[in-house]
Amino acid sequence: MTPPPSGPVCAGASQYASYSTFSSYVRARGPVLLRTARSLTANPCDAEDLLQTALAKTFVAWERIEDHRALDGYVRRALLNTRTSQWRKRKVDEFACDELPEPSGVPEPDPAERQVLHDAMWRAVLKLPERQRQMVVLRYYEDLSEAQTAEVLGVSVGTVKSAVSRALGKLREDPELTPAREEVSRK
């Protein structure tokens, strides 16, 4: 019988045993550790990268870890430290400036006010004669061109233009829409 190998060959056997125990640990605890990594990042791909980095650091220290029952804590600490390092190194795209970059546009109207205006507009449209109502709905609610509206209704383009013009005039004069127009003109 040959004596057991000594020197570097034994070290290789020891490394294989370390790798074997490490890989069985990763197979057993990987899903739990991935959930922990996902709780530290917003992106699942970043979580996988974070776990991979933490596991690489753990493997390097595998021989030095004395209590293998505390491996989860060790890996979690490696996850936290790695994530903190990534966070500190991130590029910040904020610049100090004299003026605010946000546009000073008109603020959005209250949704309730919008709904009131919408309901008032429909009531006013329903007051129009049927033919004018059809043309207004096709032109402005269905967003058809004058030619398409004329084709759908079987009339000339000129008829559509004049009927829509008269309908818009009636809508401008509708007393229910007057407060809404005044509100819009003030803004």
Side-chain angles (χ1 to χ4, degrees):
M1 204 164 161
T2 60
S6 62
V9 176
C10 272
S14 172
Q15 284 179 337
Y16 178 75
S18 295
Y19 177 76
S20 175
T21 58
F22 177 76
S23 63
S24 64
Y25 168 75
V26 170
R27 276 193 300 277
R29 301 299 294 163
V32 173
L33 296 170
L34 183 58
R35 279 196 301 271
T36 303
R38 283 189 178 155
S39 70
L40 296 173
T41 63
N43 184 341
C45 295
D46 291 342
E48 291 172 0
D49 292 343
L50 176 63
L51 179 59
Q52 184 78 20
T53 304
L55 287 174
K57 290 177 180 181
T58 303
F59 182 70
V60 168
W62 190 257
E63 293 295 322
R64 293 189 316 262
I65 300 173
E66 295 175 8
D67 187 7
H68 281 243
R69 291 175 298 182
L71 282 173
D72 283 356
Y74 185 92
V75 175
R76 282 191 192 103
R77 176 51 60 189
L79 284 168
L80 285 170
N81 291 344
T82 303
R83 183 63 184 139
T84 302
S85 294
Q86 291 172 346
W87 178 77
R88 287 179 178 154
K89 292 177 186 176
R90 80 185 192 285
K91 181 181 175 186
V92 178
D93 290 334
E94 294 180 18
F95 303 100
C97 60
D98 293 335
E99 295 180 26
L100 292 175
E102 291 86 19
S104 59
V106 178
E108 284 292 317
D110 181 29
E113 290 177 11
R114 258 185 111 150
Q115 188 61 44
V116 167
L117 178 60
H118 181 266
D119 293 343
M121 181 58 80
W122 268 113
R123 283 192 300 275
V125 168
L126 290 173
K127 292 178 193 174
L128 294 173
E130 183 178 349
R131 191 69 153 174
Q132 288 180 356
R133 184 172 57 242
Q134 289 172 348
M135 291 182 190
V136 167
V137 168
L138 289 173
R139 276 290 284 130
Y140 298 104
Y141 287 95
E142 295 296 324
D143 202 27
L144 297 181
S145 67
E146 292 169 339
Q148 291 169 326
T149 304
E151 185 179 334
V152 167
L153 295 175
V155 296
S156 71
V157 174
T159 302
V160 171
K161 287 181 179 181
S162 64
V164 167
S165 176
R166 284 192 303 275
L168 292 177
K170 288 180 182 178
L171 291 174
R172 282 187 200 101
E173 295 171 2
D174 191 304
E176 195 173 355
L177 295 178
T178 303
R181 273 196 310 278
E182 290 170 357
E183 183 68 30
V184 169
S185 66
R186 275 187 269 160
K187 290 182 179 181

